[in-house]
Amino acid sequence: MSSVVKGVTGAANEKALVTLINETGYKLVQENGQRKFGGPPPGWDGHPPSRGCEVFIGKIPRDIFEDELIPVFQKIGKIYEFRLMMDFSGSNRGFAFCTYCHREDAKRAIKELNNYEIKKGRFLGVCSSVDNCRLFVGGIPKTKMKEEIMVEMSKITDGVVDVIVYPSATDKTKNRGFAFVEYENHRAAAMARRKLIPGRIQLWGHNIAVDWAEPEQEMDEDIMTT
């Protein structure tokens, strides 16, 4: 059981968390400033859920934890993973991410649990999570083609799936000095962004600028139908 309750021992609500673990069969592990419930859930076989299955939960009172939050979010549908951000004092940091197994449940959670009263006079904020998988990389030599950039980015970062470059308006054989690099998931993109800190890594001897690309806005299906 010790690996299952790693990071729970000594918590203010340890008994309630152990009860939650025993009742659901999910693992609960604390690492890198967050406590992760599931990911995957018991008996899960296959790929993680697709984009659009994760919701962001804000305005969480600092003294409320998984034993009170998870039963609320579980009523909507099967949870794949619930991540509560924690600080060193043992309180939560006021926000969490809940990934459902199905997209429909994430949409329902936003509609039904935004402004949910979790404690007298305290209301949760629930909205769609920005699952950004794309980085902007500036400072790329203008003579480099898409394939060359992809090879180079794949050497220094993991999970590259695509590179988008735009030709110069004046010379179609050259790029505009920047590219968008697409990764297989948000985590891979976040790890790459951390690795590509300006000044630490150069591309072809050039200093680079790296930041998140603006996420693509996904239109709600209800709006699309009207």
Side-chain angles (χ1 to χ4, degrees):
M1 176 60 90
S2 61
S3 66
V4 174
V5 293
K6 179 186 166 190
V8 173
T9 307
N13 59 336
E14 180 182 345
K15 195 174 175 184
L17 291 175
V18 170
T19 301
L20 175 71
I21 291 162
N22 290 336
E23 284 177 356
T24 61
Y26 281 65
K27 288 188 177 182
L28 187 62
V29 177
Q30 184 161 336
E31 58 187 6
N32 303 327
Q34 63 180 1
R35 209 154 51 199
K36 190 169 81 167
F37 172 83
W44 182 268
D45 185 27
H47 297 292
S50 61
R51 290 176 72 172
C53 293
E54 185 177 84
V55 298
F56 171 83
I57 307 147
K59 299 193 286 187
I60 300 171
R62 297 300 175 99
D63 57 349
I64 280 184
F65 299 97
E66 294 90 345
D67 54 300
E68 291 181 73
L69 292 165
I70 283 165
V72 171
F73 284 84
Q74 250 177 350
K75 283 179 189 169
I76 298 291
K78 186 175 174 67
I79 292 173
Y80 175 81
E81 178 181 84
F82 190 99
R83 294 180 290 126
L84 181 64
M85 303 302 131
M86 303 292 293
D87 66 22
F88 293 112
S89 69
S91 356
N92 76 63
R93 289 171 58 200
F95 67 99
F97 296 90
C98 179
T99 305
Y100 284 99
C101 294
H102 304 289
R103 255 176 114 158
E104 298 71 33
D105 294 332
K107 287 183 178 180
R108 260 190 68 210
I110 294 164
K111 283 179 182 170
E112 296 181 24
L113 299 180
N114 188 35
N115 291 321
Y116 177 88
E117 190 171 16
I118 191 75
K119 196 177 183 179
K120 190 165 177 59
R122 303 297 299 273
F123 300 88
L124 297 177
V126 181
C127 63
S128 182
S129 172
V130 176
D131 184 15
N132 201 343
C133 302
R134 186 179 291 182
L135 295 181
F136 166 86
V137 183
I140 289 174
K142 293 186 177 181
T143 54
K144 299 298 175 186
M145 299 287 113
K146 171 179 173 163
E147 292 71 22
E148 295 174 273
I149 299 167
M150 192 151 177
V151 167
E152 198 66 18
M153 293 302 295
S154 299
K155 278 183 195 169
I156 51 179
T157 61
D158 296 321
V160 177
V161 293
D162 196 16
V163 167
I164 300 150
V165 290
Y166 295 98
S168 164
T170 53
D171 185 349
K172 300 296 183 192
T173 64
K174 292 181 178 176
N175 71 63
R176 294 189 196 173
F178 64 86
F180 293 102
V181 184
E182 187 93 24
Y183 289 85
E184 60 190 7
N185 53 42
H186 177 71
R187 187 168 295 174
M191 295 297 286
R193 181 172 177 259
R194 193 180 299 174
K195 197 172 184 180
L196 296 167
I197 292 171
R200 184 188 291 178
I201 286 181
Q202 291 187 326
L203 289 178
W204 301 284
H206 288 237
N207 288 323
I208 54 169
V210 178
D211 208 341
W212 290 110
E214 284 297 314
E216 292 174 61
Q217 291 296 316
E218 282 198 15
M219 189 66 79
D220 188 280
E221 281 168 28
D222 297 339
I223 297 169
M224 290 290 280
T225 55
T226 57

